[in-house]
Amino acid sequence: MSAARSGVLRVLLTAFPAVLLLPPVRAWLEATMTRQMLLQIPLVIAAGWWLAALLPRAWHRRVSAWNPGGVAGLVLAVALGGVVMTPRVLDAATYSAGADALKLACAFGCGVAAGASWRPAGIPGQAFVVGNIAWMLAASGVLLRDWPQRVCAAYLEQDQRIAGTGLVLWALVLSALWLVPQLRRRRASPL
C-alpha cells in the first residue's frame, strides 16, 4: 500500500468514531440497545484495530517495550471493552454526548490496544483472550436475555433480550473467526 493511501486510510479510521458522534448517526445507533452493543461498539473497536495495523513498524517497536508478549495491551483492551459494555455506560451514552464520546474513545482504545498486541501474544495468548472474551460475551448475553428486569433505563426489556441473544451470537462468531484459521493452519502443516 502506498504511503499516501495508507495516510488517507489512517485519517478515515481515526475520524470514523467522530462520525458516530454526529447527532443523526448517534441517535440511530443508540435508539436500541441492540444497535449500540452489536453494531456501534464493535465498529469502533474494529476501527481502532485497523488503525493499529496501519501504524508504522517503528511505533510497534516502541510499544513493544512496555507490552512484552502483548500482555499489557490485551489486558488494557479487555478492561476498556468491559467498561464500554456496562449498562451504566450504555445508559449515560444515550443522554450525554460527553459520556458517548468517552464510550467511543474507550472502544477505539480497546481496538488499538488489541490490534497492537495481537501478534506479539502468539497463539496461546490469543486463545486465552478469545476464550475469555467469548465467555464474557456469552455470559452477559444470557444474563441480558433472561434477566427479569431492565438493566438499562433507556431500553425496553424486549430490546434487552434481543441484545442478549446477539451477544451470544457475537461470542460464537468471534470464536469461529479465530478458531477456523487456526485449524486450517494446523491441518496444512504436519506435526
Side-chain angles (χ1 to χ4, degrees):
M1 181 182 298
S2 74
R5 192 170 179 192
S6 177
V8 169
L9 194 51
R10 272 191 207 108
V11 169
L12 290 174
L13 290 174
T14 305
F16 181 70
V19 171
L20 297 176
L21 281 175
L22 295 172
V25 176
R26 177 177 170 243
W28 183 80
L29 285 168
E30 294 174 358
T32 69
M33 179 186 242
T34 303
R35 286 194 293 250
Q36 186 173 187
M37 292 182 86
L38 305 180
L39 185 60
Q40 182 188 42
I41 292 169
L43 283 172
V44 175
I45 291 172
W49 184 293
W50 294 323
L51 179 67
L54 293 172
L55 290 170
R57 285 192 178 113
W59 182 87
H60 285 278
R61 279 193 299 275
R62 282 192 301 272
V63 167
S64 68
W66 64 265
N67 192 22
V71 174
L74 290 175
V75 168
L76 176 62
V78 170
L80 289 172
V83 167
V84 166
M85 296 296 273
T86 58
R88 179 69 183 113
V89 171
L90 296 174
D91 267 344
T94 63
Y95 61 80
S96 166
D100 197 44
L102 182 61
K103 176 193 76 179
L104 292 173
C106 286
F108 192 72
C110 169
V112 171
S117 305
W118 197 246
R119 282 185 195 256
I123 302 298
Q126 293 172 11
F128 180 79
V129 170
V130 169
N132 279 287
I133 289 172
W135 177 85
M136 286 190 304
L137 287 172
S140 299
V142 168
L143 285 171
L144 283 175
R145 192 186 67 214
D146 296 341
W147 200 258
Q149 300 156 338
R150 293 186 322 183
V151 295
C152 288
Y155 302 111
L156 300 174
E157 282 181 54
Q158 181 61 27
D159 190 29
Q160 177 177 306
R161 282 192 276 285
I162 294 167
T165 301
L167 286 177
V168 172
L169 292 173
W170 259 118
L172 294 171
V173 167
L174 289 175
S175 297
L177 286 173
W178 182 80
L179 188 58
V180 169
Q182 303 310 318
L183 293 174
R184 284 186 182 148
R185 247 183 250 126
R186 176 126 174 131
R187 194 176 308 165
S189 65
L191 291 176

